[in-house]
Amino acid sequence: MTTTELQKRDWAALEQKYYQGTFKRLPITLVRGQGARVWDSEGKEYIDFVAGIAVNILGHCHPAIIQAVQEQVTQLVHVSNLYYNIRQIELAEQLAELSGGMRSFFSNSGAEANEGAIKLARKYGRLHRDGAFEIISMERSFHGRTLATTAATGQAAYQATWAPLPDGFKQVPFNDLDAVKAATSAKTVAILVEAVQGEGGIWPASKEFLQGLRQWCDEQNLVLICDEVQAGAGRTGKYFSWEHYDIKPDIVTMAKGLAGGVPIGGMLTGPRTDVFAYGDHGTTFGGNPIACAAGVATIKTIKEQNLLENATKMGAYWDKKFQDLSAKYPHIIDSPRGIGLMRAVNVKHDLAGTIAERALEHGLLLNALGGSTLRMVPPLILTESDLDEAHAILDRSLEEVSKLPAAQQ
Ligand SMILES: Cc1ncc(COP(=O)(O)O)c(C=O)c1O
Protein backbone atom coordinates (compact mmCIF):
# COMPACT_ATOMS: atom_id res chain seq x y z
CA MET A 1 0.00 0.00 0.00
CA THR A 2 1.23 3.52 -0.72
CA THR A 3 1.22 6.16 2.03
CA THR A 4 -1.77 7.84 0.38
CA GLU A 5 -3.69 4.55 0.31
CA LEU A 6 -2.75 3.93 3.96
CA GLN A 7 -3.97 7.38 4.94
CA LYS A 8 -7.40 6.78 3.40
CA ARG A 9 -8.51 4.60 6.31
CA ASP A 10 -8.80 5.57 9.98
CA TRP A 11 -6.99 2.56 11.46
CA ALA A 12 -7.64 3.55 15.08
CA ALA A 13 -11.40 3.86 14.50
CA LEU A 14 -11.48 0.57 12.57
CA GLU A 15 -9.61 -1.21 15.32
CA GLN A 16 -12.03 0.07 17.92
CA LYS A 17 -14.87 -1.34 15.91
CA TYR A 18 -13.38 -4.71 15.07
CA TYR A 19 -10.73 -5.62 17.69
CA GLN A 20 -11.12 -6.37 21.40
CA GLY A 21 -9.81 -3.63 23.63
CA THR A 22 -7.04 -5.39 25.56
CA PHE A 23 -4.19 -3.20 24.31
CA LYS A 24 -3.49 0.44 25.04
CA ARG A 25 -2.12 1.57 21.67
CA LEU A 26 0.27 4.43 21.12
CA PRO A 27 -1.08 6.72 18.42
CA ILE A 28 0.85 5.37 15.43
CA THR A 29 0.34 2.52 12.96
CA LEU A 30 3.60 0.82 12.01
CA VAL A 31 3.72 -0.44 8.44
CA ARG A 32 7.35 -1.16 7.58
CA GLY A 33 10.67 -1.98 9.22
CA GLN A 34 14.30 -2.22 8.18
CA GLY A 35 17.18 -2.93 10.57
CA ALA A 36 16.73 -0.90 13.74
CA ARG A 37 14.18 1.44 12.08
CA VAL A 38 10.41 1.34 11.56
CA TRP A 39 8.07 3.61 9.60
CA ASP A 40 4.45 4.53 10.33
CA SER A 41 1.50 4.91 7.97
CA GLU A 42 2.35 8.62 7.57
CA GLY A 43 5.84 7.72 6.38
CA LYS A 44 7.53 8.89 9.60
CA GLU A 45 10.72 7.07 10.68
CA TYR A 46 11.54 5.84 14.20
CA ILE A 47 14.54 4.18 15.85
CA ASP A 48 13.09 1.05 17.42
CA PHE A 49 14.14 0.49 21.04
CA VAL A 50 11.10 -1.70 21.66
CA ALA A 51 11.80 -4.31 18.96
CA GLY A 52 8.43 -6.00 19.37
CA ILE A 53 9.24 -6.11 23.11
CA ALA A 54 12.57 -7.88 22.89
CA VAL A 55 11.58 -9.97 19.88
CA ASN A 56 13.31 -8.61 16.76
CA ILE A 57 16.80 -9.65 17.79
CA LEU A 58 18.17 -9.18 14.24
CA GLY A 59 16.17 -6.01 13.61
CA HIS A 60 13.42 -5.79 11.04
CA CYS A 61 13.44 -7.70 7.76
CA HIS A 62 16.93 -9.13 8.20
CA PRO A 63 17.99 -10.77 4.90
CA ALA A 64 18.75 -14.06 6.71
CA ILE A 65 15.20 -14.27 8.08
CA ILE A 66 13.65 -13.23 4.77
CA GLN A 67 15.61 -15.89 2.90
CA ALA A 68 14.93 -18.65 5.42
CA VAL A 69 11.19 -17.92 5.57
CA GLN A 70 10.85 -17.43 1.80
CA GLU A 71 12.63 -20.69 1.04
CA GLN A 72 10.64 -22.58 3.63
CA VAL A 73 7.29 -21.17 2.56
CA THR A 74 7.82 -22.49 -0.95
CA GLN A 75 8.72 -25.98 0.35
CA LEU A 76 6.55 -26.77 3.34
CA VAL A 77 4.47 -24.41 5.52
CA HIS A 78 3.11 -26.91 8.01
CA VAL A 79 3.27 -30.58 8.80
CA SER A 80 1.81 -32.33 11.77
CA ASN A 81 4.06 -33.40 14.61
CA LEU A 82 3.04 -36.91 13.53
CA TYR A 83 6.05 -36.73 11.18
CA TYR A 84 9.76 -35.91 11.43
CA ASN A 85 10.42 -32.26 10.64
CA ILE A 86 13.93 -31.37 9.47
CA ARG A 87 13.87 -27.69 10.49
CA GLN A 88 12.63 -28.62 13.97
CA ILE A 89 15.47 -31.09 14.42
CA GLU A 90 18.01 -28.57 13.08
CA LEU A 91 16.85 -25.89 15.53
CA ALA A 92 16.89 -28.35 18.44
CA GLU A 93 20.42 -29.36 17.40
CA GLN A 94 21.56 -25.71 17.44
CA LEU A 95 20.02 -25.18 20.88
CA ALA A 96 21.64 -28.36 22.20
CA GLU A 97 24.98 -27.00 21.10
CA LEU A 98 24.35 -23.65 22.79
CA SER A 99 22.92 -25.11 26.02
CA GLY A 100 25.41 -27.91 26.54
CA GLY A 101 23.21 -30.77 25.43
CA MET A 102 19.64 -29.89 26.39
CA ARG A 103 16.76 -31.39 24.40
CA SER A 104 14.01 -29.13 23.03
CA PHE A 105 10.25 -29.00 22.69
CA PHE A 106 8.82 -26.18 20.56
CA SER A 107 5.54 -24.36 21.05
CA ASN A 108 4.26 -20.97 19.89
CA SER A 109 4.76 -18.50 22.72
CA GLY A 110 6.49 -17.82 26.00
CA ALA A 111 3.45 -18.66 28.09
CA GLU A 112 3.10 -21.97 26.30
CA ALA A 113 6.79 -22.73 26.84
CA ASN A 114 6.31 -22.08 30.56
CA GLU A 115 3.18 -24.26 30.63
CA GLY A 116 5.34 -27.07 29.23
CA ALA A 117 7.99 -26.44 31.88
CA ILE A 118 5.37 -26.52 34.65
CA LYS A 119 4.02 -29.83 33.37
CA LEU A 120 7.51 -31.28 33.05
CA ALA A 121 8.37 -30.22 36.61
CA ARG A 122 5.12 -31.74 37.91
CA LYS A 123 5.91 -34.99 36.14
CA TYR A 124 9.36 -34.95 37.76
CA GLY A 125 7.67 -34.43 41.14
CA ARG A 126 5.35 -37.36 40.51
CA LEU A 127 8.25 -39.62 39.57
CA HIS A 128 11.03 -38.45 41.84
CA ARG A 129 9.73 -36.30 44.72
CA ASP A 130 6.74 -38.10 46.21
CA GLY A 131 4.17 -36.31 44.07
CA ALA A 132 5.42 -32.79 44.86
CA PHE A 133 3.84 -30.25 42.50
CA GLU A 134 4.23 -26.74 43.90
CA ILE A 135 6.30 -24.14 42.09
CA ILE A 136 7.96 -21.21 43.84
CA SER A 137 8.40 -18.15 41.64
CA MET A 138 9.46 -14.58 42.35
CA GLU A 139 7.65 -11.38 43.18
CA ARG A 140 7.72 -8.88 40.28
CA SER A 141 8.20 -11.79 37.83
CA PHE A 142 6.24 -12.29 34.61
CA HIS A 143 5.64 -15.70 33.07
CA GLY A 144 2.64 -15.29 30.74
CA ARG A 145 -1.12 -14.88 30.43
CA THR A 146 -2.48 -18.41 30.58
CA LEU A 147 -4.07 -19.34 33.89
CA ALA A 148 -1.12 -21.37 35.19
CA THR A 149 1.48 -18.82 34.07
CA THR A 150 -0.68 -16.04 35.55
CA ALA A 151 -0.61 -17.98 38.82
CA ALA A 152 3.20 -18.15 38.53
CA THR A 153 3.50 -14.43 37.74
CA GLY A 154 4.43 -12.46 40.85
CA GLN A 155 2.42 -9.32 40.15
CA ALA A 156 -0.98 -8.91 41.79
CA ALA A 157 -2.26 -6.67 38.99
CA TYR A 158 -2.13 -9.59 36.54
CA GLN A 159 -3.78 -12.02 38.94
CA ALA A 160 -6.62 -10.23 40.72
CA THR A 161 -9.39 -10.58 38.13
CA TRP A 162 -8.84 -14.28 37.43
CA ALA A 163 -9.25 -15.91 40.82
CA PRO A 164 -9.49 -18.76 41.50
CA LEU A 165 -6.15 -19.42 39.84
CA PRO A 166 -4.72 -22.95 39.56
CA ASP A 167 -3.28 -24.34 42.77
CA GLY A 168 0.37 -25.02 43.38
CA PHE A 169 2.07 -21.65 42.91
CA LYS A 170 3.61 -19.37 45.46
CA GLN A 171 5.78 -16.24 45.22
CA VAL A 172 8.65 -14.97 47.34
CA PRO A 173 10.77 -11.79 47.10
CA PHE A 174 13.33 -11.80 44.25
CA ASN A 175 16.99 -12.14 45.23
CA ASP A 176 16.03 -13.49 48.68
CA LEU A 177 17.41 -17.00 49.07
CA ASP A 178 16.26 -17.32 52.68
CA ALA A 179 12.67 -16.61 51.57
CA VAL A 180 12.92 -19.40 48.97
CA LYS A 181 14.24 -21.79 51.59
CA ALA A 182 11.52 -20.83 54.06
CA ALA A 183 8.83 -21.31 51.40
CA THR A 184 10.10 -24.76 50.38
CA SER A 185 8.04 -27.68 51.68
CA ALA A 186 7.46 -31.33 50.89
CA LYS A 187 4.99 -30.13 48.24
CA THR A 188 7.60 -28.02 46.41
CA VAL A 189 8.95 -29.42 43.16
CA ALA A 190 10.50 -26.46 41.33
CA ILE A 191 11.81 -22.92 41.46
CA LEU A 192 10.94 -20.72 38.50
CA VAL A 193 13.08 -17.62 37.99
CA GLU A 194 14.07 -15.02 35.38
CA ALA A 195 17.84 -14.45 35.71
CA VAL A 196 17.05 -10.91 34.55
CA GLN A 197 13.47 -9.89 35.33
CA GLY A 198 11.99 -8.29 32.21
CA GLU A 199 8.42 -7.03 32.63
CA GLY A 200 9.22 -6.34 36.29
CA GLY A 201 11.63 -3.58 35.21
CA ILE A 202 14.93 -5.18 34.05
CA TRP A 203 16.29 -6.37 37.38
CA PRO A 204 19.23 -8.79 37.16
CA ALA A 205 19.42 -11.48 39.84
CA SER A 206 22.42 -11.37 42.12
CA LYS A 207 25.06 -14.03 41.57
CA GLU A 208 24.67 -15.26 45.15
CA PHE A 209 20.94 -15.70 44.60
CA LEU A 210 21.10 -17.74 41.38
CA GLN A 211 24.03 -19.81 42.58
CA GLY A 212 22.25 -20.30 45.90
CA LEU A 213 19.10 -21.44 44.08
CA ARG A 214 21.12 -23.96 42.09
CA GLN A 215 22.66 -25.34 45.25
CA TRP A 216 19.31 -25.41 47.08
CA CYS A 217 17.70 -27.29 44.18
CA ASP A 218 20.54 -29.83 44.20
CA GLU A 219 20.32 -30.33 47.96
CA GLN A 220 16.52 -30.62 48.04
CA ASN A 221 15.97 -32.53 44.79
CA LEU A 222 14.12 -29.56 43.26
CA VAL A 223 13.96 -28.51 39.63
CA LEU A 224 15.47 -25.15 38.63
CA ILE A 225 13.54 -23.54 35.75
CA CYS A 226 14.98 -20.41 34.10
CA ASP A 227 12.49 -18.34 32.13
CA GLU A 228 14.63 -16.98 29.28
CA VAL A 229 11.66 -15.78 27.24
CA GLN A 230 12.79 -12.16 27.38
CA ALA A 231 16.45 -12.33 28.44
CA GLY A 232 17.43 -15.25 26.18
CA ALA A 233 18.54 -15.46 22.53
CA GLY A 234 21.52 -13.18 23.05
CA ARG A 235 19.87 -10.07 24.43
CA THR A 236 22.20 -9.85 27.45
CA GLY A 237 25.37 -10.55 25.46
CA LYS A 238 25.30 -14.29 26.20
CA TYR A 239 22.92 -16.59 24.39
CA PHE A 240 21.25 -17.51 27.71
CA SER A 241 21.25 -14.95 30.51
CA TRP A 242 21.96 -17.66 33.12
CA GLU A 243 25.40 -18.04 31.53
CA HIS A 244 26.39 -14.82 33.34
CA TYR A 245 25.96 -16.66 36.64
CA ASP A 246 28.05 -19.82 36.14
CA ILE A 247 25.05 -22.03 36.78
CA LYS A 248 22.99 -24.36 34.64
CA PRO A 249 19.24 -24.71 35.10
CA ASP A 250 17.41 -28.01 34.65
CA ILE A 251 14.75 -26.51 32.40
CA VAL A 252 14.93 -23.39 30.20
CA THR A 253 12.03 -21.64 28.49
CA MET A 254 12.36 -19.35 25.47
CA ALA A 255 10.25 -17.47 22.93
CA LYS A 256 10.53 -13.80 21.85
CA GLY A 257 13.96 -13.57 20.12
CA LEU A 258 14.37 -17.27 19.41
CA ALA A 259 13.17 -17.04 15.79
CA GLY A 260 13.98 -13.37 15.19
CA GLY A 261 10.33 -12.25 15.05
CA VAL A 262 8.50 -15.34 13.85
CA PRO A 263 6.26 -16.74 16.64
CA ILE A 264 7.81 -19.64 18.53
CA GLY A 265 8.23 -20.98 22.05
CA GLY A 266 10.94 -23.35 23.26
CA MET A 267 11.22 -25.52 26.34
CA LEU A 268 14.63 -27.12 26.86
CA THR A 269 15.59 -29.69 29.45
CA GLY A 270 18.74 -31.30 30.71
CA PRO A 271 18.92 -35.07 31.26
CA ARG A 272 17.79 -35.02 34.92
CA THR A 273 14.33 -33.65 34.08
CA ASP A 274 13.99 -35.15 30.59
CA VAL A 275 10.96 -37.17 31.76
CA PHE A 276 8.24 -36.52 29.15
CA ALA A 277 7.17 -39.72 27.46
CA TYR A 278 5.00 -40.35 24.43
CA GLY A 279 1.64 -38.59 24.82
CA ASP A 280 2.60 -36.39 27.79
CA HIS A 281 2.60 -33.15 25.84
CA GLY A 282 1.78 -32.01 22.34
CA THR A 283 0.96 -29.15 19.99
CA THR A 284 -0.45 -28.65 16.51
CA PHE A 285 1.57 -25.65 15.36
CA GLY A 286 4.53 -25.76 17.76
CA GLY A 287 7.85 -26.32 16.01
CA ASN A 288 6.37 -25.63 12.60
CA PRO A 289 8.87 -25.51 9.71
CA ILE A 290 8.65 -21.74 9.12
CA ALA A 291 9.30 -20.77 12.75
CA CYS A 292 12.10 -23.31 13.05
CA ALA A 293 13.73 -22.22 9.77
CA ALA A 294 13.67 -18.65 11.10
CA GLY A 295 15.12 -19.91 14.40
CA VAL A 296 18.00 -21.67 12.67
CA ALA A 297 18.70 -18.54 10.57
CA THR A 298 18.59 -16.35 13.69
CA ILE A 299 21.12 -18.44 15.61
CA LYS A 300 23.39 -18.72 12.56
CA THR A 301 23.31 -14.94 12.08
CA ILE A 302 23.97 -14.24 15.77
CA LYS A 303 27.10 -16.40 15.46
CA GLU A 304 28.29 -15.19 12.04
CA GLN A 305 27.80 -11.50 12.81
CA ASN A 306 29.17 -11.71 16.38
CA LEU A 307 25.97 -10.23 17.73
CA LEU A 308 26.59 -11.40 21.29
CA GLU A 309 29.77 -9.31 21.33
CA ASN A 310 27.89 -6.43 19.72
CA ALA A 311 25.14 -6.59 22.34
CA THR A 312 27.78 -6.39 25.09
CA LYS A 313 29.65 -3.55 23.37
CA MET A 314 26.57 -1.51 22.50
CA GLY A 315 25.10 -2.14 25.96
CA ALA A 316 28.22 -0.68 27.58
CA TYR A 317 28.20 2.27 25.17
CA TRP A 318 24.54 2.96 25.89
CA ASP A 319 25.06 2.59 29.63
CA LYS A 320 27.77 5.27 29.57
CA LYS A 321 25.49 7.62 27.60
CA PHE A 322 22.64 6.91 29.94
CA GLN A 323 24.73 7.56 33.04
CA ASP A 324 25.43 11.00 31.53
CA LEU A 325 21.72 11.59 30.97
CA SER A 326 20.83 10.59 34.51
CA ALA A 327 23.53 12.96 35.82
CA LYS A 328 22.02 15.73 33.65
CA TYR A 329 18.39 15.05 34.68
CA PRO A 330 18.64 13.68 38.22
CA HIS A 331 15.22 15.13 39.08
CA ILE A 332 13.55 12.90 36.43
CA ILE A 333 15.57 9.71 35.98
CA ASP A 334 17.86 7.54 38.07
CA SER A 335 19.41 4.07 38.35
CA PRO A 336 20.12 3.21 34.72
CA ARG A 337 20.71 -0.53 34.70
CA GLY A 338 20.72 -3.73 32.70
CA ILE A 339 22.93 -6.23 30.92
CA GLY A 340 23.82 -6.07 27.21
CA LEU A 341 20.89 -4.63 25.29
CA MET A 342 18.31 -5.27 28.00
CA ARG A 343 18.17 -1.96 29.84
CA ALA A 344 15.94 0.26 31.93
CA VAL A 345 15.92 3.39 34.01
CA ASN A 346 13.74 4.55 36.91
CA VAL A 347 11.55 7.57 36.19
CA LYS A 348 10.33 9.96 38.87
CA HIS A 349 6.92 11.67 39.19
CA ASP A 350 5.24 8.89 37.17
CA LEU A 351 6.56 10.47 33.97
CA ALA A 352 7.71 7.38 32.07
CA GLY A 353 4.72 7.49 29.70
CA THR A 354 5.20 11.22 29.07
CA ILE A 355 8.88 10.71 28.21
CA ALA A 356 7.98 7.82 25.89
CA GLU A 357 5.37 10.04 24.17
CA ARG A 358 7.89 12.85 23.62
CA ALA A 359 10.47 10.39 22.31
CA LEU A 360 7.87 8.96 19.94
CA GLU A 361 7.16 12.45 18.62
CA HIS A 362 10.88 12.92 17.97
CA GLY A 363 11.35 9.51 16.32
CA LEU A 364 12.36 7.02 19.02
CA LEU A 365 10.26 4.09 20.27
CA LEU A 366 10.64 3.43 24.00
CA ASN A 367 8.55 1.27 26.29
CA ALA A 368 7.10 2.70 29.51
CA LEU A 369 6.51 0.03 32.17
CA GLY A 370 3.87 1.79 34.25
CA GLY A 371 4.75 5.36 35.18
CA SER A 372 8.07 4.70 36.84
CA THR A 373 10.25 2.67 34.45
CA LEU A 374 11.46 3.07 30.87
CA ARG A 375 12.55 -0.15 29.18
CA MET A 376 14.94 -0.36 26.23
CA VAL A 377 15.34 -3.66 24.39
CA PRO A 378 16.62 -2.75 20.90
CA PRO A 379 17.83 -5.21 18.23
CA LEU A 380 21.31 -6.68 18.65
CA ILE A 381 22.42 -5.25 15.28
CA LEU A 382 22.43 -1.73 16.71
CA THR A 383 25.38 0.58 15.89
CA GLU A 384 27.02 3.40 17.81
CA SER A 385 25.49 5.91 15.41
CA ASP A 386 21.97 4.51 16.13
CA LEU A 387 22.72 4.98 19.82
CA ASP A 388 24.07 8.51 19.31
CA GLU A 389 20.88 9.42 17.47
CA ALA A 390 18.68 7.81 20.13
CA HIS A 391 20.65 9.61 22.83
CA ALA A 392 20.07 13.01 21.16
CA ILE A 393 16.31 12.31 20.94
CA LEU A 394 16.14 11.19 24.53
CA ASP A 395 18.11 14.23 25.68
CA ARG A 396 15.67 16.49 23.85
CA SER A 397 12.65 14.61 25.26
CA LEU A 398 14.00 14.77 28.83
CA GLU A 399 14.75 18.46 28.44
CA GLU A 400 11.14 19.10 27.41
CA VAL A 401 9.67 16.91 30.13
CA SER A 402 11.87 18.52 32.78
CA LYS A 403 10.08 21.83 32.11
CA LEU A 404 6.61 20.40 32.78
CA PRO A 405 4.96 21.34 36.08
CA ALA A 406 4.76 17.62 36.98
CA ALA A 407 8.55 17.41 36.92
CA GLN A 408 9.01 20.40 39.23
CA GLN A 409 7.25 18.90 42.28
C1 LIG B 1 9.95 -13.55 31.04
C2 LIG B 1 8.70 -13.77 30.25
N1 LIG B 1 8.10 -14.97 30.32
C3 LIG B 1 6.98 -15.24 29.62
C4 LIG B 1 6.40 -14.28 28.82
C5 LIG B 1 5.15 -14.61 28.05
O1 LIG B 1 5.47 -14.70 26.71
P1 LIG B 1 4.30 -14.66 25.60
O2 LIG B 1 3.76 -13.28 25.61
O3 LIG B 1 5.02 -15.00 24.32
O4 LIG B 1 3.31 -15.69 25.99
C6 LIG B 1 6.99 -13.02 28.73
C7 LIG B 1 6.37 -11.97 27.91
O5 LIG B 1 6.65 -10.80 28.02
C8 LIG B 1 8.17 -12.75 29.46
O6 LIG B 1 8.77 -11.57 29.41
Side-chain angles (χ1 to χ4, degrees):
M1 276 195 200
T2 63
T3 305
T4 326
E5 280 166 346
L6 285 166
Q7 284 168 340
K8 275 192 194 141
R9 304 194 80 191
D10 181 343
W11 299 104
L14 288 166
E15 158 165 313
Q16 207 184 6
K17 186 165 176 198
Y18 295 118
Y19 205 79
Q20 296 177 31
T22 59
F23 298 105
K24 185 169 183 286
R25 311 285 193 190
L26 289 155
I28 55 170
T29 306
L30 295 174
V31 294
R32 188 165 71 82
Q34 187 62 57
R37 313 279 160 148
V38 284
W39 286 263
D40 70 14
S41 52
E42 307 287 310
K44 183 172 165 183
E45 179 179 325
Y46 304 84
I47 308 174
D48 188 0
F49 270 38
V50 176
I53 311 195
V55 168
N56 304 301
I57 287 278
L58 306 183
H60 297 273
C61 297
H62 193 285
I65 302 271
I66 294 177
Q67 193 190 346
V69 170
Q70 274 180 348
E71 271 177 28
Q72 191 56 48
V73 101
T74 59
Q75 282 172 17
L76 198 61
V77 169
H78 174 79
V79 280
S80 164
N81 279 310
L82 289 171
Y83 309 100
Y84 292 107
N85 170 344
I86 291 171
R87 299 290 164 266
Q88 200 178 89
I89 299 164
E90 285 173 346
L91 180 58
E93 187 180 26
Q94 291 289 323
L95 289 170
E97 195 188 293
L98 288 163
S99 65
M102 291 182 147
R103 293 209 300 167
S104 293
F105 179 94
F106 298 123
S107 54
N108 307 287
S109 68
E112 241 187 290
N114 282 330
E115 287 276 346
I118 292 163
K119 283 175 73 177
L120 191 58
R122 283 192 174 189
K123 173 128 191 226
Y124 181 85
R126 194 166 290 275
L127 294 176
H128 300 300
R129 208 174 186 272
D130 295 330
F133 60 90
E134 196 170 80
I135 299 198
I136 299 174
S137 57
M138 304 304 140
E139 288 173 8
R140 223 177 37 200
S141 63
F142 185 84
H143 299 294
R145 301 281 197 155
T146 60
L147 283 176
T149 57
T150 295
T153 288
Q155 299 188 53
Y158 290 109
Q159 297 183 330
T161 313
W162 317 113
L165 288 166
D167 250 4
F169 296 90
K170 143 194 301 191
Q171 279 90 51
V172 297
F174 187 54
N175 275 336
D176 185 343
L177 189 58
D178 289 338
V180 173
K181 290 183 177 177
T184 304
S185 73
K187 288 194 285 184
T188 311
V189 70
I191 312 221
L192 169 59
V193 65
E194 296 160 84
V196 186
Q197 290 192 325
E199 298 302 298
I202 316 293
W203 296 105
S206 70
K207 207 159 192 173
E208 302 72 51
F209 183 58
L210 269 206
Q211 293 188 344
L213 284 184
R214 178 67 275 175
Q215 198 181 340
W216 183 242
C217 286
D218 291 341
E219 284 167 20
Q220 300 290 319
N221 186 24
L222 300 171
V223 174
L224 182 60
I225 307 171
C226 268
D227 180 337
E228 288 281 313
V229 167
Q230 187 159 153
R235 175 146 298 286
T236 66
K238 303 237 184 236
Y239 189 76
F240 299 105
S241 67
W242 45 262
E243 292 177 73
H244 292 282
Y245 295 85
D246 301 321
I247 58 133
K248 192 163 171 193
D250 300 296
I251 301 176
V252 176
T253 56
M254 301 190 73
K256 291 188 181 279
L258 176 55
V262 180
I264 191 166
M267 194 270 286
L268 283 56
T269 179
R272 179 168 160 251
T273 42
D274 199 343
V275 293
F276 272 164
Y278 165 68
D280 278 343
H281 200 40
T283 166
T284 297
F285 286 119
N288 73 83
I290 295 176
C292 290
V296 171
T298 303
I299 291 175
K300 195 162 165 259
T301 307
I302 288 173
K303 286 182 186 162
E304 283 173 3
Q305 299 188 359
N306 298 320
L307 293 181
L308 298 182
E309 290 78 0
N310 196 54
T312 306
K313 214 168 121 201
M314 293 304 122
Y317 188 73
W318 184 240
D319 188 45
K320 159 107 197 24
K321 295 209 151 261
F322 225 96
Q323 300 288 354
D324 295 347
L325 282 177
S326 74
K328 189 168 171 191
Y329 302 101
H331 51 301
I332 320 183
I333 54 171
D334 71 36
S335 312
R337 59 181 173 274
I339 314 187
L341 287 174
M342 187 172 184
R343 313 210 73 92
V345 67
N346 287 351
V347 179
K348 298 177 183 170
H349 315 296
D350 240 18
L351 282 167
T354 313
I355 298 169
E357 278 164 26
R358 292 292 162 125
L360 182 92
E361 248 176 73
H362 302 314
L364 172 66
L365 300 187
L366 296 174
N367 176 232
L369 285 165
S372 60
T373 311
L374 276 177
R375 170 170 54 177
M376 291 148 284
V377 281
L380 311 191
I381 50 149
L382 217 63
T383 62
E384 283 188 3
S385 75
D386 291 326
L387 287 169
D388 291 343
E389 222 179 301
H391 175 263
I393 294 176
L394 203 45
D395 193 2
R396 185 173 164 200
S397 308
L398 289 166
E399 168 90 45
E400 288 170 3
V401 170
S402 68
K403 291 184 187 139
L404 297 175
Q408 314 292 330
Q409 292 156 11

